[in-house]
Amino acid sequence: MSRTTEEGLGRRRFQVQKEKAVEEAYEKIRRSFGDDWQCFSADDCKILRDVLGEIWTGVDRDSWKEYCFSTLSYADILSLIAIAKEGPGLKCMTQDTLARLDEILE
């Protein structure tokens, strides 16, 4: 197998792991809100998924496993979304931003 193919497979594996982790976290959050989940717009839900993905990318796996997504409050979710809306975008997340997000999830 060529190096390029191995690198492509590695990137794809990383992406699949990320998507799975984000989906599991998102579902834990959604289920914990029950019918109140309707308070969040479709845009908010997309931003939340995106920010969860960037957090997963930015923290070590042990930290990610320690987060208790099902206990996040309405204010916590709004804070995650608000932080994600700040600045130039999620793809340019600084260590300070990541630390703020981590603080909410701890």
Side-chain angles (χ1 to χ4, degrees):
M1 188 178 298
S2 73
R3 180 181 169 133
T4 304
T5 303
E6 288 178 18
E7 288 174 3
L9 286 173
R11 281 192 293 276
R12 181 65 187 138
R13 190 175 356 219
F14 178 85
Q15 188 64 30
V16 168
Q17 289 171 340
K18 174 182 165 182
E19 289 170 5
K20 182 180 179 209
V22 167
E23 186 60 31
E24 288 173 357
Y26 180 85
E27 282 303 310
K28 287 177 184 177
I29 295 167
R30 189 187 62 76
R31 281 193 307 268
S32 74
F33 277 86
D35 292 338
D36 293 335
W37 186 249
Q38 302 307 317
C39 296
F40 298 104
S41 70
D43 252 5
D44 288 343
C45 293
K46 180 180 180 338
I47 292 168
L48 179 61
R49 283 179 189 268
D50 291 345
V51 76
L52 289 172
E54 292 306 309
I55 293 167
W56 186 87
T57 301
V59 300
D60 62 78
R61 299 302 152 249
D62 290 334
S63 294
W64 178 265
K65 290 175 187 175
E66 292 296 317
Y67 296 146
C68 191
F69 296 102
S70 62
T71 62
L72 293 174
S73 69
Y74 181 75
D76 292 335
I77 300 302
L78 290 180
S79 294
L80 291 172
I81 292 168
I83 292 170
K85 289 180 177 179
E86 292 175 0
L90 289 174
K91 300 297 180 198
C92 300
M93 193 179 338
T94 65
Q95 284 302 106
D96 289 340
T97 303
L98 189 57
R100 290 172 55 207
L101 295 166
D102 182 65
E103 190 174 303
I104 294 167
L105 294 170
E106 285 185 328

